[in-house]
């Protein structure tokens, strides 16, 4: 059975795996990124890693990268922020030259979405939307097993859906972006502000953070809400109401069969999922469209990206077989 | 050269045209819908119309209908509101039986989007979003010449993008839907409310409406704004700010190459387009994504739907040639 090599290029490590057609990881390797040495050196190291993990039946390479590669040409349209020389770099051309294998590349967020839709929470679903709730809010859209790319692979910036046309100011220049309300960072900040208010009552959150307001984070909110703390429950409810507005707008726009919540805050799990589902069903999305769209929690964790990179490489190999 | 028959099923009239591969309309016909006679009778009338306008080289039929047909099976998933017996009706199967031609069907809004992207304001654009501003707000998404359908063809309800999570109540059950702010109905209502306020000053709008507040509509607002009326200019600016929030969210989500404004209010033309473009460029959409997305005004008017129906039938015919 043929297989592919999947690469997850991160700021700290480069992870590689050989993956078969069923998504079984056959071999894994990991090296340090040494981002400061620049993109050419990083890609040479990736090529070495490919040679190490490839097998006799390897038919292609899929690379997930920070920044945004052009999905058609493999040129880096937006640089990987921490890797000098990555902007404009001919990622797939150079790696094809070094490995003699067909190489495809995409943004790491898109590939995490593809991985979850292939083998994770979105398995078997025709139209999958992912919201990743971490430091920021990211997203992805996968239709019939292929990533949606828009004009230049710059879309699915679901963190910059606005839920209030005169709302909180976002770094992107807009007002009301959901990233400013329902990212892990935003929920942590809302909690610290609430606890710092002059009229703030007692809250378990402060206790869980060892008495230090500065140590209260999104996870503190969800932990305390699970233990019945009233202020934490209000913050969790607010977070899910904000999120339901953005998710509901996307459901009405894209008629997905499921919406997957990923990223660090998805560790809150069922209490987050059920609150969000409830708000969607109560009216945030339109009747028959809401019925199609089940809210799920991501299940693949760190492997979503590498499995997505494998799926992309397999798609490319299958398309080229169909063409020949 | 082969051609197709395109049908635009409306509540009042059924329009038909024979259209060639270049979008040239060769023959036109129109009959009354007689919706009350029910869907079976209506479809029999459509079949008669097809026989009348088809030629020796006609290879297929495309039908645009109110309500929502399943894009794969042609069964009516949501009924055409004014036509009894349309819910669940096997639209394409029945019409194929009656005409002996391959029949495809889609929602009329989707086909208007497809028509504009084929031969109208979106000609040559890879990713086209349409907002239609009329009694309500509708939408469509066309990617590489094909309509985006989502799971069950229920999406692209762009009128139900929320721009305020605690905003105006919408009939759909949500709060803040853009339909409640930037449809022609909403703009007219906002104008009448502003003119009825106890502190309302003089406005040219009232004069243009013959002194009767009840006769002030969206077009009155745009006419008076064009003549420099301060209150009308404020209403036009507000409308475009609301709209920029919804359009900006979609641009960030879908990275379109253009956004077309259609529907009755698009007759406002350049003053609407330029205001909206300005707000998008000022920050409602994210830098490089905003750069891709040019705002345009629809140009095909009533023919958008019939040309879209023709394009769909041509797509089906081309796919079946590729397969055979």
């Amino acid at each position: 059975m043929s297989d592919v090599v999947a690469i997850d290029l991160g700021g700290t490590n480069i992870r590689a795996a050989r993956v078969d057609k069923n998504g079984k990881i056959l071999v894994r390797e990991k090296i340090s990124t040494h981002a400061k040495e620049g993109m050419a050196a990083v890609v040479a190291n990736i090529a070495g890693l490919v040679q190490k993990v490839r097998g006799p039946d390897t038919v292609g390479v899929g690379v997930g990268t920070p920044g945004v590669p052009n999905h058609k040409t493999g040129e880096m349209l937006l640089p990987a922020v921490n890797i000098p020389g990555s902007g404009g770099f001919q990622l797939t051309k150079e790696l094809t030259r070094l490995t003699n294998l067909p190489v495809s590349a995409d943004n790491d967020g898109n590939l995490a979405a593809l991985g979850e839709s292939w083998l994770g929470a979105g398995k078997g679903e025709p139209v999958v939307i992912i919201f990743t709730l971490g430091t920021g809010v990211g997203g992805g859209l996968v239709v019939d097993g292929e990533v949606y790319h828009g004009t230049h692979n710059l879309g699915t910036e679901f963190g910059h859906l606005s839920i209030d046309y005169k709302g909180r100011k976002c770094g992107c220049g807009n007002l009301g972006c959901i990233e400013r309300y329902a990212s892990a960072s935003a929920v942590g900040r809302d909690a610290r502000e609430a606890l710092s208010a002059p009229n703030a009552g007692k809250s378990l959150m402060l206790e869980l953070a060892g008495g230090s307001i500065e140590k209260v984070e999104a996870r503190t909110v969800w932990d305390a809400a699970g233990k019945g703390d009233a202020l934490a429950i209000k913050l969790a409810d607010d977070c899910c109401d904000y999120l339901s507005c953005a998710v509901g707008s996307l459901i009405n726009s894209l008629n997905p069969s499921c919406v997957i919540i990923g990223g660090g805050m998805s560790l809150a799990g069922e209490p987050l999922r059920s609150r969000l589902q409830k708000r969607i069903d109560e009216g945030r999305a339109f009747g028959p469209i809401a019925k199609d769209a089940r809210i799920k929690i991501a299940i693949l964790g760190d492997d979503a990206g590498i499995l997505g990179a494998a799926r992309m490489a397999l798609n490319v190999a299958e398309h080229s077989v169909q063409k020949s």
Side-chain angles (χ1 to χ4, degrees), chain A residues 5 11 36 48 54 64 70 80 85 105 109 117 154 156 171 218 226 238 247 256 274 278 312:
Chain A
V5 172
K36 283 183 190 164
R54 70 183 288 181
N70 182 315
S117 78
L154 298 169
T156 59
D238 284 351
V247 169
S274 56
K278 185 163 172 279
M312 170 179 61

Side-chain angles (χ1 to χ4, degrees), chain A residues 9-21:
Chain A
L9 170 57
T12 309
N13 293 309
I14 306 171
R15 299 190 307 139
R18 179 146 54 92
V19 182
D20 75 13
K21 284 183 177 180

Side-chain angles (χ1 to χ4, degrees), chain A residues 81-311:
Chain A
V81 173
N82 297 310
I83 309 181
S86 57
F89 194 88
Q90 297 285 350
L91 177 56
T92 60
K93 271 187 200 156
E94 181 61 9
L95 203 54
T96 298
R97 192 180 70 78
L98 292 171
T99 62
N100 265 317
L101 284 166
V103 177
S104 45
D106 206 341
N107 168 263
D108 44 15
N110 281 346
L111 293 182
L114 184 58
E116 280 290 345
S117 78
W118 182 28
L119 296 166
K123 193 173 174 176
E125 298 284 353
V127 184
V128 176
I129 283 175
I130 302 206
F131 270 72
T132 51
L133 310 178
T135 310
V137 172
L141 167 63
V142 178
V143 181
D144 292 331
E146 302 267 358
V147 171
Y148 173 90
H149 286 115
T151 304
H152 286 123
N153 203 13
L154 298 169
T156 59
E157 288 284 355
F158 300 153
H160 300 281
L161 268 156
S162 172
I163 62 164
D164 186 350
Y165 67 94
K166 53 187 182 334
R168 299 180 183 177
K169 195 158 178 47
C170 180
C172 78
N174 199 2
L175 303 173
C177 292
I178 186 63
E179 182 162 296
R180 301 283 295 139
Y181 296 78
S183 59
S185 325
V187 172
R189 194 191 49 235
D190 280 358
R192 291 189 296 274
E193 274 184 29
L195 290 167
S196 307
N199 59 348
K202 269 188 73 159
S203 165
L204 182 60
M205 288 189 284
L206 203 53
E207 206 173 302
L208 292 175
S212 160
I213 287 184
E214 288 69 41
K215 289 193 176 146
V216 169
E217 296 177 348
R219 80 177 67 188
T220 326
V221 173
W222 288 100
D223 286 350
K227 294 189 165 81
D229 181 72
L231 178 58
I233 287 172
K234 184 185 178 307
L235 288 162
D237 284 345
D238 284 351
C239 162
C240 288
D241 188 39
Y242 300 141
L243 194 56
S244 72
C245 183
V247 169
S249 288
L250 263 195
I251 290 173
N252 288 339
S253 298
L254 296 172
N255 187 203
S257 57
C258 76
V259 178
I260 301 174
I261 305 300
M265 205 159 71
S266 71
L267 297 175
E270 182 57 19
L272 190 163
R273 194 206 65 77
S274 56
R275 272 182 173 86
L276 181 56
Q277 183 78 67
K278 185 163 172 279
R279 289 296 294 124
I280 295 292
D281 293 342
E282 278 171 357
R284 283 297 189 192
F286 197 44
I289 316 180
K291 222 168 134 186
D292 274 342
R294 295 298 88 192
I295 310 293
K296 301 185 175 191
I297 298 288
I299 58 177
L300 294 181
D302 277 351
D303 279 342
I306 211 129
L307 290 169
R311 184 64 257 171

